[in-house]
Amino acid sequence: MRYALFLILGLRTFLPLVLAQLPLPQPPFLPPDASSGAKTSSGALPNRQWSTLLGNLLYFYEAQRTGQLPSSNRVSWRNSSVVDDGKSAGLDLSGGYFDAGDFIKATFPLSFTLMSVCWGAMDYGKGYDMANQTAYLDDMLRWGLDWLMKAHPNESTLYVLVGSTDTDNSYWGGDQNIPTPRPVYQINDTHPGTDAAAGAAAAFAACSGLYYNKGFKNDTFSTPAQLKNTTYADTLLTHARDLYTFAVNATNGRKTYQTSVPEVAAGYGSSDYGDEMAIAALFLSWATDSPSLYAEAEGYWQKYKLAQQTRVFNWDSKAPGLPVLFAQIADSSSTIGGNFTAWQIQAEKYFDDIVNNDGPGYLTDDGLLFYDGDSDSASLNPALNAAMLLSRFAPMASSTDKRSSYTTFSKLQLDYALGNNSMSVPYIVGSNPNSPSNPHSAMASGGNDISQIDNDPEEMAYTLFGAVVGGPHKSGKFYDIRSDWPETEIALDYNAPMLTLTAMHVISDSSDPFYTSLKAGAYEKVKPQGLPCDPVFPKACVGPQLSKGGKIAMALVLAITGLIIIGLSVWYFILAGRRVVALKSSS
Ligand SMILES: *[C@@H]1O[C@H](CO)[C@@H](O)[C@H](O)[C@H]1NC(C)=O
Ligand SMILES: *[C@@H]1O[C@H](CO)[C@@H](O)[C@H](O)[C@H]1NC(C)=O
Ligand SMILES: *[C@@H]1O[C@H](CO)[C@@H](O)[C@H](O)[C@H]1NC(C)=O
Ligand SMILES: *[C@@H]1O[C@H](CO)[C@@H](O)[C@H](O)[C@H]1NC(C)=O
Ligand SMILES: *[C@@H]1O[C@H](CO)[C@@H](O)[C@H](O)[C@H]1NC(C)=O
Ligand SMILES: *[C@@H]1O[C@H](CO)[C@@H](O)[C@H](O)[C@H]1NC(C)=O
Ligand SMILES: *[C@@H]1O[C@H](CO)[C@@H](O)[C@H](O)[C@H]1NC(C)=O
Ligand SMILES: *[C@@H]1O[C@H](CO)[C@@H](O)[C@H](O)[C@H]1NC(C)=O
Ligand SMILES: *[C@@H]1O[C@H](CO)[C@@H](O)[C@H](O)[C@H]1NC(C)=O
């Protein structure tokens, strides 16, 4: 008996504890070679290029997995890693995802990513079904959610960071030599973090809605991805409720989580918590058909003056997404109620400013929606999140004019990211021959010398298929340099809006994504020389910023001026000499 139990426990440590519940396709979906992204496909639905892109975007998350990898692992160059995470605190915090190009696990941006993906899989879920990607979606979500449950061992404890940003930033290498010990950091009743707790509550609530198969109004949105599982949804909902209570009612009040855990400030400090409280309450109201939680969310909108937060939608700032979700729920559920018109007006204020260039964001000369500050460290993310919200809201707009201007603007931003830019680069690794080839990812690089990050090895060891990179410089120039994290880093939250937009296109767009029209070698022809002016290369910001052509022109002008001066002096001295000679001879 004891022996048997021992055997079972022994087996459990060898077998993956987390398994996708939906059967994974056999043979598995694997990203095709980047060259396939240069071929046009037939105009049927689903378009093969869009469904492949959806598959690649999900595959990226599999490459970011940590912990004991299951036998179904598709990323051949990945190994199980840091399986002892949490042991120092007496619990199992292995699993989940590495946040970006390095090796920390960060709860706050992970929660945002899961929330965003689940929201998108509720309203454009049919795209996952049509592309045969729903089992991978289930797998991807559970890998994150199951870890988030482990990070929430009781009502008012949530682990918010695993690994240290300090050690991590000095380690560049594979998944086998990750520096240990890996510290773990928690928030709790005496050291609360309202934003982190509410952010995780929002992820659990949004995903419980998806696992309950709760669809928004079906003449406006598609059915949710078909992965209904009420048992799992109930579990998620329990975590959502507990975390929401912890966020709202922590004994030691409401505060940002870096107040309690200063170690998170460097990477993912939060600016405030009202937006997370509102979106947690709102997704809870949707998951549970609760008019009172909807009213609570409206209360936070007022109390924390969220209407004034008119900048970007991202891991730190959820406010711009709220009017969209308030409107979506009001439009879809008669039980919950809600004043659709009021939220429609609120949402349109924000979107009109974007499409009319009246808000804090503006279009760069290259055509990218840009927010000084937010866009400087990852230029595509604000633009893609805006595109995602615009597309989602467009069918709920008050006029056909607005509907079409929102849709057009959104499509232009998406196309920009897919290659309609002055660099001819689709900013997704492995999607086309012009895609970035040096994403800032220690694991995929195959290198282990941080001082030689850009050229050891010369070519990345592995292709990180499906990873959306930070994006070009404000000028539109893209420097495909591994160490240049603002432009080439990859991250969990960068892929999220692209997934939702792609699922939407799988459903209804029979024409190819923009990149199939790019010419081979297009980027090589226009690739900028030198270094970008950004925090990684501050020296490149000093002095006049001349392009290679500019430098040649400047050199020519200088050379010609010099020649003219020399010529004139020679001529002068010869003349003067002659004059002296003449004077001498005349005297
Ligand atoms: C999805 O799977 C079905 C059944 O195997 C197959 O006929 C179809 O071509 C697949 N579609 C895509 C986009 O992979
Ligand atoms: C909650 O979990 C943490 C971590 O396991 C533990 O330190 C703490 O004592 C627990 N609190 C309660 C009230 O169970
Ligand atoms: C996984 O292990 C293999 C074999 O040791 C190694 O070649 C590979 O580079 C490792 N992968 C990573 C991401 O470190
Ligand atoms: C509560 O969290 C703080 C900040 O992370 C930590 O210092 C403290 O030890 C935690 N309390 C308990 C009982 O674990
Ligand atoms: C859409 O929803 C309506 C009302 O809830 C329902 O009667 C109808 O059957 C649904 N249509 C589809 C295609 O699911
Ligand atoms: C639903 O999810 C639960 C919890 O993960 C799992 O045990 C169960 O097998 C799933 N059911 C189905 C039908 O997939
Ligand atoms: C917070 O505490 C108050 C007062 O005890 C209670 O009425 C309320 O339901 C709690 N809120 C949540 C979300 O648990
Ligand atoms: C809904 O909001 C609109 C716009 O603010 C307002 O005119 C209308 O009276 C509201 N309806 C209800 C039932 O409160
Ligand atoms: C590409 O971008 C240009 C400039 O922003 C725009 O005029 C054109 O319509 C775009 N083409 C597509 C297919 O999006």
Side-chain angles (χ1 to χ4, degrees):
M1 183 67 206
R2 240 175 155 188
Y3 188 58
L5 187 65
F6 183 70
L7 246 181
I8 291 166
L9 288 174
L11 267 180
R12 278 174 61 90
T13 56
F14 286 104
L15 287 174
L17 297 177
V18 189
L19 285 171
Q21 297 303 314
L22 295 183
L24 293 166
Q26 278 312 327
F29 167 86
L30 293 173
D33 189 83
S35 62
S36 75
K39 299 190 183 104
T40 52
S41 62
S42 75
L45 280 178
N47 173 292
R48 285 280 159 173
Q49 289 287 354
W50 284 112
S51 51
T52 299
L53 178 57
L54 193 71
N56 287 9
L57 290 163
L58 281 174
Y59 182 90
F60 160 72
Y61 289 100
E62 201 160 313
Q64 292 294 111
R65 283 183 180 187
T66 165
Q68 185 73 43
L69 299 185
S71 56
S72 57
N73 170 40
R74 292 177 291 164
V75 188
S76 59
W77 49 271
R78 281 302 320 283
N79 310 291
S80 295
S81 59
V82 283
V83 294
D84 289 339
D85 275 356
K87 258 194 183 157
S88 60
L91 73 172
D92 173 16
L93 289 178
S94 68
Y97 294 106
F98 291 131
D99 169 62
D102 50 13
F103 297 97
I104 60 162
K105 296 195 281 198
T107 301
F108 196 46
L110 170 73
S111 299
F112 172 73
T113 301
L114 294 170
M115 178 195 84
S116 179
V117 174
C118 285
W119 186 2
M122 269 187 282
D123 43 25
Y124 302 112
K126 202 167 172 220
Y128 290 94
D129 297 343
M130 288 167 71
N132 295 340
Q133 288 293 330
T134 300
Y136 291 118
L137 172 70
D138 181 40
D139 207 22
M140 174 271 176
L141 291 172
R142 283 174 182 259
W143 195 268
L145 291 164
D146 288 355
W147 180 79
L148 204 52
M149 288 188 216
K150 295 203 261 182
H152 181 221
N154 53 45
E155 280 88 341
S156 50
T157 304
L158 178 68
Y159 284 87
V160 291
L161 180 65
V162 176
S164 146
T165 343
D166 295 344
T167 24
D168 218 71
N169 282 341
S170 56
Y171 171 69
W172 183 260
D175 57 17
Q176 298 303 281
N177 302 306
I178 299 168
T180 51
R182 298 196 7 118
V184 297
Y185 303 92
Q186 60 162 265
I187 51 171
N188 50 47
D189 230 19
T190 57
H191 293 76
T194 314
D195 34 29
F204 280 126
C207 296
S208 76
L210 173 65
Y211 280 93
Y212 281 130
N213 195 39
K214 287 199 63 101
F216 293 107
K217 200 174 167 186
N218 66 14
D219 59 357
T220 315
F221 297 99
S222 91
T223 43
Q226 295 305 294
L227 40 63
K228 183 174 181 180
N229 182 321
T230 313
T231 316
Y232 196 57
D234 286 344
T235 310
L236 297 175
L237 188 60
T238 306
H239 284 274
R241 286 188 193 280
D242 287 351
L243 281 159
Y244 179 64
T245 301
F246 172 35
V248 172
N249 278 346
T251 322
N252 216 355
R254 296 177 187 173
K255 45 189 71 156
T256 56
Y257 79 126
Q258 68 268 19
T259 316
S260 295
V261 183
E263 288 82 356
V264 298
Y268 290 105
S270 152
S271 37
D272 41 45
Y273 45 77
D275 51 342
E276 282 85 24
M277 291 169 77
I279 207 154
L282 197 49
F283 270 123
L284 270 169
S285 92
W286 173 240
T288 60
D289 284 318
S290 161
S292 64
L293 281 161
Y294 189 94
E296 268 176 55
E298 289 185 313
Y300 299 134
W301 175 270
Q302 295 297 337
K303 179 176 161 80
Y304 294 107
K305 301 189 169 50
L306 300 179
Q308 292 171 15
Q309 294 187 15
T310 56
R311 289 179 62 87
V312 301
F313 180 70
N314 69 10
W315 61 268
D316 180 30
S317 161
K318 284 90 177 177
L322 283 163
V324 179
L325 186 58
F326 273 122
Q328 238 179 329
I329 294 176
D331 202 21
S332 303
S333 164
S334 49
T335 322
I336 298 174
N339 185 335
F340 173 74
T341 315
W343 288 110
Q344 183 191 50
I345 292 168
Q346 194 68 49
E348 291 183 354
K349 226 183 262 171
Y350 176 74
F351 292 132
D352 286 347
D353 279 356
I354 290 181
V355 300
N356 299 327
N357 238 328
D358 284 339
Y362 59 91
L363 280 187
T364 64
D365 291 344
D366 210 28
L368 180 65
L369 176 64
F370 202 93
Y371 294 80
D372 286 329
D374 290 294
S375 301
D376 291 314
S377 56
S379 64
L380 292 173
N381 189 248
L384 287 174
N385 271 317
M388 175 188 72
L389 292 180
L390 279 162
S391 282
R392 174 181 277 133
F393 181 78
M396 299 186 287
S398 61
S399 70
T400 47
D401 276 2
K402 285 189 198 293
R403 180 184 293 218
S404 92
S405 70
Y406 297 167
T407 308
T408 306
F409 191 96
S410 167
K411 183 73 173 24
L412 278 171
Q413 294 305 305
L414 176 62
D415 284 345
Y416 184 99
L418 297 178
N420 189 20
N421 54 61
S422 61
M423 296 284 106
S424 295
V425 172
Y427 291 106
I428 305 171
V429 179
S431 61
N432 173 277
N434 291 294
S435 289
S437 48
N438 283 304
H440 181 98
S441 161
M443 288 195 294
S445 80
N448 46 33
D449 180 356
I450 198 162
S451 70
Q452 297 292 322
I453 164 171
D454 288 328
N455 42 32
D456 182 15
E458 209 54 58
E459 258 180 49
M460 302 271 294
Y462 313 109
T463 305
L464 193 55
F465 286 102
V468 174
V469 301
H473 183 261
K474 182 158 70 176
S475 63
K477 291 199 180 105
F478 179 66
Y479 297 79
D480 193 7
I481 301 174
R482 232 170 279 164
S483 58
D484 191 39
W485 58 264
E487 295 190 21
T488 60
E489 187 148 16
I490 48 89
L492 301 179
D493 63 313
Y494 295 177
N495 268 44
M498 189 58 101
L499 255 181
T500 295
L501 285 162
T502 301
M504 196 184 106
H505 280 270
V506 171
I507 298 174
S508 55
D509 190 353
S510 59
S511 48
D512 285 340
F514 187 85
Y515 50 71
T516 61
S517 66
L518 294 170
K519 301 251 176 338
Y523 173 58
E524 278 305 314
K525 280 205 192 105
V526 295
K527 184 178 172 173
Q529 301 300 311
L531 301 169
C533 159
D534 64 26
V536 181
F537 299 107
K539 281 191 190 146
C541 305
V542 183
Q545 293 298 300
L546 285 179
S547 64
K548 193 183 183 187
K551 279 181 191 147
I552 292 172
M554 181 64 104
L556 266 177
V557 169
L558 283 174
I560 291 169
T561 315
L563 279 177
I564 290 173
I565 290 172
I566 292 170
L568 282 174
S569 332
V570 169
W571 178 68
Y572 175 82
F573 283 115
I574 289 172
L575 267 190
R578 277 203 192 132
R579 226 175 259 148
V580 172
V581 172
L583 281 175
K584 272 186 183 160
S585 59
S586 70
S587 60

